[in-house]
Amino acid sequence: MQEKQIVRDGYNAIATRYFQERARSAPDLELVKDLAGRIPPGDRVLDAGCGAGVPIAAFLSRAFRVVGLDLAIAQVRLARQIIPLGEFLRGDIVALPFREATFGGIVCTYAMIHVPREEHPRLVAEFRRTVKPSGLLLPRMGANDLPEDVGDFLGTPMYWSHYDAQTNLEMLRVAGFEILWSRLVDDATSPGSTHLFVIARAA
């Protein structure tokens, strides 16, 4: 799809700069620490849309067997260099290349908002399929209604698409997740933008 090509090409183009931005400011890491405290050490955890693996996969690799998946090969290559203990693959998070009930937890902090929102129910269903029973999901989702937008992001064209917060919470429930908490968090890489973070348990 053209939208995914924009995202893939964009993150390939800004791989090093984006890594530097994420290493500099990551308020979402505190929320990931909350998730990590709820998962048994040594379990497998997926970073869906992992980028260069910093800071999320790098943090998770201290206690878990981390798998990262990203659409942009330049990001995957960086992650492999930076986090040798992790397993990093190129792929589309809407069609996860993993068996059912593979992960004790799934984190998806900057990827879902770049997927056409018509595919979000399928994406959430993939999370539910690949997380273990009672496993946990931490997604970063839209807080407002945005059918689609293409604009500049760190000097490259980028695509965004998402539903509003209430629609997203209902989507998770329909897919079979129990909402443990949800909160709105400002986007450190895009001033003025706010996103919905959720910790949900597979029911």
Side-chain angles (χ1 to χ4, degrees):
M1 296 179 64
Q2 181 182 2
E3 299 90 346
K4 293 184 181 181
Q5 182 176 345
I6 292 171
V7 175
R8 182 195 64 205
D9 292 350
Y11 276 106
N12 277 328
I14 63 171
T16 300
R17 184 176 177 189
Y18 183 68
F19 158 68
Q20 293 170 343
E21 290 288 332
R22 287 291 283 147
R24 185 178 303 118
S25 178
D28 49 325
L29 183 57
E30 292 304 313
L31 306 183
V32 174
K33 290 178 180 179
D34 186 343
L35 178 84
R38 302 167 186 257
I39 301 173
D43 211 340
R44 294 188 79 190
V45 177
L46 173 65
D47 186 354
C50 61
V54 175
I56 304 304
F59 168 75
L60 292 171
S61 69
R62 301 173 190 173
F64 308 103
R65 292 175 291 153
V66 174
V67 179
L69 186 74
D70 200 275
L71 197 61
I73 189 61
Q75 301 282 353
V76 171
R77 287 170 178 161
L78 276 175
R80 289 170 177 167
Q81 294 171 14
I82 296 166
I83 311 166
L85 293 179
E87 177 186 356
F88 297 95
L89 310 170
R90 197 198 76 80
D92 188 346
I93 62 173
V94 178
L96 295 175
F98 308 109
R99 296 180 179 178
E100 294 182 7
T102 296
F103 301 104
I106 297 175
V107 178
C108 184
T109 57
Y110 275 91
M112 191 168 179
I113 56 175
H114 294 306
V115 175
R117 69 182 192 175
E118 293 78 11
E119 297 186 46
H120 288 191
R122 177 185 172 192
L123 172 53
V124 171
E126 279 289 272
F127 290 153
R128 180 62 186 85
R129 180 184 68 81
T130 54
V131 76
K132 295 177 181 179
S134 298
L136 297 172
L137 171 66
L138 172 57
R140 179 191 193 105
M141 309 174 82
N144 62 297
D145 186 73
L146 181 69
E148 64 177 2
D149 183 39
V150 177
D152 178 84
F153 180 65
L154 299 180
T156 190
M158 188 54 64
Y159 172 87
W160 296 271
S161 180
H162 48 75
Y163 294 105
D164 62 274
Q166 290 305 313
T167 300
N168 286 327
L169 291 172
E170 182 61 21
M171 186 189 309
L172 289 169
R173 294 186 183 101
V174 169
F177 287 99
E178 173 194 1
I179 308 299
L180 301 185
W181 60 246
S182 64
R183 62 191 66 169
L184 299 178
V185 177
D186 292 336
D187 187 340
T189 67
S190 180
S193 298
T194 301
H195 296 284
L196 172 73
F197 276 88
V198 181
I199 286 186
R201 178 187 291 122

